[in-house]
């Protein structure tokens, strides 16, 4: 067990989640004043004493991405200067993750840049949920624990008691995640051959596997514009699927994504609250607060995180 007192605090990105995590941990959330100077610069004051404490800052870097990221960096700097014992950046959604390699010339690797910023600002450890790709763990030269959203999504899918299910990955990059779901749900899987042509347009070419007569569980890590999910659902229906449920750890829902999805042949869209969400229409939001609080409890008490996924 850590000798340091456990403290949890939050910026403006997702205080509701942070409060819920504190409720599960049975502690009071530490008070932070996160405001803006008149010129828009971030003004942070942590109101409680942090000296020598084991501090967890809960802040997804979701939209407004730059605001939330910068706020996280300023809070980390603040905690370091306040002599916190250890500082863990709890990042339920890690923005800028999708540029994780040079897929063409003259492009940045923003996932690495953001990892560098977080470490430089003062994080000793990162606790995240479903990075877009596992190699992002290695972009940080500090300890990283990555939680997996299937832990909360799979029990919900099981509760729907669908009979002939098939997991569908909307792109080849998602097959590893789809395999996790198909193993957990003990069913077949299929894959779509997708090509992204721009930030908001993806062309889905072909479906490899058999979804005819099946209740398809379309699995992705992020829903951003909704294009991938919408086209994947349409293709599955064209290939004879009986129904389609979409699930994703992170619901970014950029622009009119929710409208787009509402017009698609999708029965239900399941996401977690890694990003603030309002449950409405076909959107089902599952809470990650129990998962995060258990991980924080384990880190604080030097217990295994991987045991949570055995
Ligand atoms: C891509 O590699 C990701 O796994 C998701 O498929 C993608 O981010 C979804 O984006 P959108 O909803 O804009 O199609």
């Amino acid at each position: 067990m850590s000798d340091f007192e456990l403290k949890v605090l939050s910026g403006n990105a997702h205080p509701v989640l942070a409060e819920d995590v504190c409720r599960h941990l049975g502690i009071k959330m530490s008070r932070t004043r996160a405001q803006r100077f008149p010129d828009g610069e971030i003004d942070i004051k942590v109101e409680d004493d942090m000296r020598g404490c084991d501090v967890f800052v809960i802040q997804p870097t979701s939209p407004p991405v730059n605001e939330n990221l910068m706020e996280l960096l300023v809070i980390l700097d603040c905690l370091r200067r306040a002599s916190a014992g250890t500082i863990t950046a709890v990042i339920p959604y890690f923005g800028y993750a999708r540029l994780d390699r040079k897929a063409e010339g003259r492009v940045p690797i923003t996932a690495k840049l953001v990892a560098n910023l977080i470490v430089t600002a003062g994080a000793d450890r990162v606790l995240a949920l479903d990075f877009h790709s596992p190699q992002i763990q290695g972009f940080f030269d500090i300890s990283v624990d990555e939680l997996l959203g299937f832990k909360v999504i799979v029990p919900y899918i099981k509760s729907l008691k669908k009979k002939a299910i098939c997991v569908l990955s909307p792109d080849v990059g998602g097959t590893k995640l789809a395999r996790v779901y198909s193993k957990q749900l003990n069913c077949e899987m299929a894959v779509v051959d997708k090509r992204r042509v721009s930030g908001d347009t993806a062309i889905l070419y072909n479906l490899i596997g058999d979804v005819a007569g099946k209740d398809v569980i379309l699995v992705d890590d992020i829903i951003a514009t909704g294009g991938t999910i919408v086209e994947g659902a349409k293709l599955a229906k064209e290939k004879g699927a009986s129904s389609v449920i979409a699930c994703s750890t992170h619901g970014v829902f950029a622009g009119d994504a929710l409208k787009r999805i509402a017009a698609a042949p999708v029965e239900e869209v399941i996401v977690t609250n890694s990003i603030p969400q309002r449950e409405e229409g076909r959107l089902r939001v599952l809470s990650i607060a129990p998962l995060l609080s258990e991980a924080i409890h384990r880190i604080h008490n030097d217990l295994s995180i991987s045991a949570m996924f055995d």
Side-chain angles (χ1 to χ4, degrees):
M1 172 156 175
S2 166
D3 293 337
F4 304 150
E5 188 185 345
L6 173 63
K7 300 269 187 185
V8 173
L9 54 87
S10 157
N12 282 315
H14 206 343
V16 173
L17 176 63
E19 285 284 4
D20 209 12
V21 167
C22 287
R23 198 173 51 78
H24 279 86
L25 287 166
I27 62 170
K28 255 187 103 184
M29 187 158 87
S30 296
R31 293 166 306 142
T32 312
R33 196 194 65 208
Q35 297 172 336
R36 297 292 176 269
F37 287 111
D39 60 0
E41 289 175 1
I42 291 166
D43 173 21
I44 298 283
K45 161 101 180 147
V46 175
E47 310 269 14
D48 298 327
D49 186 18
M50 294 289 136
R51 190 171 291 274
C53 293
D54 190 16
V55 187
F56 293 77
V57 188
I58 302 181
Q59 177 93 335
T61 52
S62 49
V65 186
N66 299 335
E67 280 289 307
N68 287 336
L69 171 61
M70 192 62 202
E71 202 179 81
L72 172 63
L73 299 175
V74 175
I75 294 172
L76 293 172
D77 181 73
C78 175
L79 288 169
R80 191 177 47 173
R81 292 173 199 284
S83 306
T86 52
I87 306 168
T88 302
V90 182
I91 312 173
Y93 171 73
F94 182 73
Y96 280 113
R98 284 179 289 173
L99 279 176
D100 58 3
R101 68 198 185 292
K102 276 186 75 170
E104 57 181 312
R106 300 181 300 282
V107 294
I109 303 180
T110 54
K112 173 62 179 154
L113 170 66
V114 171
N116 284 346
L117 291 171
I118 288 168
V119 175
T120 302
D124 298 303
R125 173 194 295 274
V126 165
L127 174 62
L129 175 74
D130 279 331
F131 279 127
H132 173 60
S133 48
Q135 66 266 27
I136 293 175
Q137 294 171 7
F139 291 2
F140 295 89
D141 280 330
I142 53 174
S143 179
V144 174
D145 289 301
E146 183 182 4
L147 303 176
L148 303 167
F150 84 81
K151 261 302 230 199
V152 296
I153 296 175
V154 164
Y156 177 74
I157 295 174
K158 284 185 176 166
S159 77
L160 298 175
K161 301 211 180 312
K162 295 271 180 192
K163 294 233 158 50
I165 56 176
C166 176
V167 168
L168 176 62
S169 172
D171 53 39
V172 175
T175 47
K176 198 158 174 254
L177 183 64
R179 206 170 297 125
V180 171
Y181 276 79
S182 75
K183 191 170 168 221
Q184 294 290 323
L185 294 165
N186 192 22
C187 68
E188 297 288 304
M189 66 175 269
V191 183
V192 173
D193 176 21
K194 173 181 107 175
R195 299 272 187 285
R196 180 163 288 289
V197 287
S198 69
D200 63 0
T201 314
I203 301 175
L204 273 50
Y205 288 101
N206 210 350
L207 193 153
I208 306 153
D210 182 16
V211 296
K214 303 272 175 64
D215 292 316
V216 166
I217 313 292
L218 188 52
V219 175
D220 209 348
D221 62 327
I222 303 171
I223 302 176
T225 64
T228 303
I229 286 295
V230 168
E231 296 307 316
K234 283 190 198 158
L235 190 57
K237 289 296 274 184
E238 271 169 34
K239 301 285 177 188
S242 310
S243 67
V244 180
I245 286 179
C247 61
S248 174
T249 303
H250 309 296
V252 176
F253 301 127
D256 58 2
L258 282 170
K259 254 199 211 154
R260 233 169 144 179
I261 293 167
V266 184
E267 223 171 60
E268 195 169 8
V269 179
I270 307 162
V271 294
T272 75
N273 61 345
S274 63
I275 296 170
Q277 304 288 353
R278 218 182 40 212
E279 204 167 63
E280 56 183 80
R282 285 179 268 163
L283 185 64
R284 170 80 51 210
V285 182
L286 306 176
S287 179
I288 53 163
L291 193 69
L292 283 185
S293 54
E294 187 182 345
I296 290 173
H297 168 81
R298 283 174 174 270
I299 291 169
H300 181 62
N301 291 288
D302 286 335
L303 298 170
S304 160
I305 294 289
S306 51
M308 291 170 67
F309 296 91
D310 286 345

